[in-house]
Amino acid sequence: MAVRLQAYVATHPGLSLSSAANRLVDEGLRTTEHPGITFREGSTGRRAGLVGGPDIWEVVRAVRSARAAEPELAEHALLSMVADNSGLPLRLLRTALRYWAAYPDDVDAEITAADDAEQAAERAWRREQDLLAG
């Protein structure tokens, strides 16, 4: 196990053996507490996702967007709308929402990072379009 942990640290610059072990233990406990949750690497770092599905932040953002668009919908109707639009079964939506309820700060930080990245990409695209338009 120590060799595998050292190999993990070698491929993740900035992590020490103890911080990597703490991360992996924490993630293991979270996946035990929340079956159906996994952790994956990405451009914004390591984040929680549904096994075989989207990241948790994507599900939460979709639910928030649906609630903003349809503030009068009852809970089941809201989740059904998100399920229909996303193709995710209701049980996976509930899994994602239970995970968010336990770790809202982590998921909300991912949403903020995604929003910031999207805004930066749009600003860059607009600058490019302005340049090309003359």
Side-chain angles (χ1 to χ4, degrees):
M1 181 170 66
V3 171
R4 291 189 340 219
L5 183 58
Q6 287 174 335
Y8 181 85
V9 169
T11 61
H12 293 81
L15 285 181
S16 66
L17 284 172
S18 64
S19 64
N22 286 336
R23 171 195 279 181
L24 295 171
V25 168
D26 181 51
E27 290 177 1
L29 291 170
R30 288 180 187 210
T31 60
T32 299
E33 294 165 0
H34 299 277
I37 298 296
T38 189
F39 289 86
R40 53 180 72 114
E41 299 286 342
S43 59
T44 60
R46 211 149 157 83
R47 69 236 186 258
L50 291 168
V51 173
D55 291 346
I56 300 306
W57 70 265
E58 293 173 299
V59 175
V60 171
R61 188 163 76 168
V63 171
R64 286 180 177 162
S65 177
R67 174 54 73 207
E70 299 287 344
E72 302 302 319
L73 282 182
E75 176 184 319
H76 183 73
L78 177 76
L79 292 178
S80 293
M81 182 173 79
V82 174
D84 290 344
N85 289 337
S86 67
L88 286 174
L90 285 173
R91 72 175 177 77
L92 291 181
L93 289 176
R94 293 261 184 214
T95 297
L97 295 178
R98 278 191 299 274
Y99 181 84
W100 171 82
Y103 302 101
D105 293 341
D106 294 354
V107 177
D108 289 345
E110 284 295 327
I111 292 170
T112 299
D115 290 345
D116 291 348
E118 288 170 5
Q119 291 170 3
E122 183 174 348
R123 285 191 302 272
W125 179 81
R126 289 188 187 284
R127 284 191 301 271
E128 180 183 345
Q129 295 306 303
D130 289 347
L131 176 65
L132 293 173

